[in-house]
Amino acid sequence: MSTDAPSTLDLDDPATDPFDVARAAADHIATATGVSGHDVALVLGSGWGGAAELVGEVVAEIPTHEIPGFSRASVEGHRSTTRSIRVERPDGSTRHALVIGSRTHLYEGKGVRRVAHGVRTAAATGCSAVVLTNGCGGLHISWRPGQPVLLKDHINLTATSPLEGATFVDLTDLYSPRLRDVARSVDPELPEGVYAQFPGPHYETPAEVKMAGIMGADLVGMSTTLEAVAARHCGMEVLGISLVTNLAAGISPEPLSHAEVLEAGQAAGPRISELLARIVRAI
């Protein structure tokens, strides 16, 4: 029996416009939270979950799977609630942030529409910017577990796209230079890198990591790129921040495990959460 909220709009039906489902989801969020519109969205990956409480005052919290088009979280370490947060900016003005719980990963087998649904819903609520975070493997010995890295570009190795039909979108500046400048104004020491998304759920082999490095990648993971493309198509500015939770295969002397990812995220959590909260308030 499905745990998804009943809806006449079936996101998995090719005849359904996914943007109709996003608008229905936005309407549900507005009704359930009492907030008519949001300004910035956050998708919190492994290690980043503690940031929401530091961003501002939580106005409302709703189960994500009750929102049309969303499912329960199926990955340990991912929270299954969506929150509306009132943010007090440095200039004294107020904005609302939408923190989307239960990111859907491509490897869950629910389809690319489900992967893109979160950012499309954020855009439908009025968000003009989205912050996409993740936990990932690093290709540089100098980036130890716990290091946050701004994304300046990505390599999509999933062999798919969230866009359907003859939909052509310029991705030259996909990861907003303006938002990266904002992030560096908060922490001038933040390094930048290129993120390569593999489909997962298995970790990359040493040869695949070496290939990604030759192609120009500095980080490898299993999320973010499809969401970033969908967000750009919706007209949102995109800021991507990775947390290096482990050295990638062939670089790390130890076997890779999800427990290691969670442990590194928990250790870095308080520090990166405060960093992210400061960046969101500045945005």
Side-chain angles (χ1 to χ4, degrees):
M1 184 176 182
S2 173
T3 56
D4 292 347
S7 174
T8 56
L9 295 173
D10 183 1
L11 190 60
D12 302 319
D13 183 348
T16 298
D17 185 339
F19 295 95
D20 287 342
V21 186
R23 285 187 285 270
D27 290 343
H28 180 98
I29 291 170
T31 300
T33 64
V35 178
S36 60
H38 290 80
D39 304 286
V40 60
L42 286 77
V43 179
L44 302 180
S46 298
W48 296 93
E53 287 75 11
L54 300 177
V55 169
E57 176 191 357
V58 178
V59 175
E61 183 170 330
I62 57 179
T64 304
H65 66 275
E66 294 182 358
I67 305 171
F70 287 87
S71 305
R72 290 185 185 274
S74 60
V75 181
E76 184 180 355
H78 289 261
R79 191 164 178 169
S80 57
T81 58
T82 290
R83 284 158 285 178
S84 177
I85 297 178
R86 183 181 295 111
V87 183
E88 298 291 339
R89 301 181 71 239
D91 63 4
S93 62
T94 300
R95 298 289 186 271
H96 283 92
L98 183 69
V99 181
I100 300 172
S102 3
R103 160 189 263 156
T104 298
H105 297 78
L106 186 64
Y107 58 70
E108 295 175 47
K110 297 174 182 176
V112 71
R113 283 185 168 190
R114 296 271 177 172
V115 175
H117 184 56
V119 296
R120 286 173 175 158
T121 296
T125 69
C127 291
S128 60
V130 61
V131 182
L132 302 173
T133 67
N134 62 61
C136 68
L139 274 65
H140 302 297
I141 292 291
S142 61
W143 290 353
R144 307 304 299 177
Q147 173 67 57
V149 180
L150 293 176
L151 302 190
K152 64 180 180 180
D153 207 342
H154 78 227
I155 301 170
N156 176 9
L157 297 175
T158 68
T160 190
S161 169
L163 309 184
E164 302 174 22
T167 306
F168 307 110
V169 179
D170 179 18
L171 303 180
T172 303
D173 291 321
L174 172 56
Y175 296 95
S176 168
R178 185 187 76 84
L179 294 185
R180 281 152 49 202
D181 286 343
V182 170
R184 281 190 294 267
S185 73
V186 173
D187 183 355
E189 302 302 317
L190 280 173
E192 290 191 335
V194 175
Y195 178 91
Q197 180 182 350
F198 285 82
H202 54 275
Y203 288 105
E204 307 79 18
T205 68
E208 288 170 339
V209 170
K210 183 177 181 180
M211 174 195 72
I214 292 171
M215 295 172 70
D218 306 290
L219 308 156
V220 293
M222 305 175 193
S223 68
T224 303
T225 71
L226 300 176
E227 293 159 293
V229 173
R232 181 58 177 268
H233 176 234
C234 290
M236 287 192 286
E237 283 190 283
V238 180
L239 178 65
I241 314 178
S242 289
L243 171 68
V244 177
T245 55
N246 57 275
L247 293 175
I251 297 172
S252 170
E254 303 295 332
L256 303 183
S257 71
H258 188 56
E260 177 188 14
V261 171
L262 294 178
E263 182 180 348
Q266 289 170 354
R271 177 172 51 83
I272 62 171
S273 294
E274 176 58 31
L275 169 66
L276 183 57
R278 291 171 60 200
I279 290 172
V280 172
R281 289 195 294 268
I283 292 174

